[in-house]
Amino acid sequence: MSNRTSGLLPGNLLLNKDSSLSYSTVYGEEPVGFGGDPSDKPVPADYDGDGKTDLAIYRSGTGAWFIYPSLAGAAGIYGVGFGGDATDIPVPGDYDGDGKADLAIYRANIGAWFIYPSSTGPSGIYGVGFGGDPTDIPVTMNLASIY
């Protein structure tokens, strides 16, 4: 069975039946393959600060993040190693307020959040202990946008 979908609208992120991600920017264009490892989790966010959501995956099997920035396109795809514990849950968001999504994980087994700020890079990685109950589910959102 084919993984392709016809009649795409501009800017669609697709999760294919084989768990790979693909993206289409033009109606009817063939999707661009991105991802495909069984441990890949989609983590789209605005990593380059251009106001558009970028394609990204977190490969939980290795703790690698792969980002396909909308500003640079395929030539700008890059990877970052951050995380990798079996209990890590990717929770990207703009934690430093610079307009770019930061890499972040919630480590469920110890109830800790680890943030890799886009403004400082690896030298500014920090952790916050919050949560830890086995039923906790990390949620990221800008509450100011609702209130």
Side-chain angles (χ1 to χ4, degrees), residues 5-82:
T5 302
S6 61
L8 299 174
L9 296 176
N12 282 295
L13 172 65
L14 303 173
L15 179 58
N16 297 313
K17 291 177 184 175
D18 66 358
S19 298
S20 65
L21 293 176
S22 56
Y23 184 73
S24 176
T25 56
V26 179
Y27 180 79
E29 181 179 307
E30 288 294 318
V32 174
F34 184 64
D37 186 90
S39 71
D40 289 353
K41 296 183 176 24
V43 286
D46 183 9
Y47 294 95
D48 58 12
D50 67 353
K52 299 176 185 174
T53 301
D54 304 314
L55 295 179
I57 56 170
Y58 172 70
R59 187 160 290 163
S60 60
T62 62
W65 296 68
F66 296 99
I67 299 166
Y68 188 133
S70 58
L71 197 59
I77 293 173
Y78 63 97
V80 177
F82 181 65

Side-chain angles (χ1 to χ4, degrees), residues 63-146:
W65 296 68
F66 296 99
I67 299 166
Y68 188 133
S70 58
L71 197 59
I77 293 173
Y78 63 97
V80 177
F82 181 65
D85 185 84
T87 66
D88 288 352
I89 300 168
V91 286
D94 185 9
Y95 296 95
D96 58 6
D98 67 351
K100 297 178 182 179
D102 306 312
L103 307 183
I105 55 163
Y106 173 68
R107 188 156 290 164
N109 66 333
I110 60 172
W113 296 66
F114 293 97
I115 320 283
Y116 186 124
S118 58
S119 60
T120 61
S123 65
I125 292 172
Y126 64 96
V128 176
F130 182 72
D133 186 272
T135 63
D136 288 348
I137 299 170
V139 177
T140 61
M141 68 179 349
N142 180 354
L143 294 176
S145 66
I146 336 178

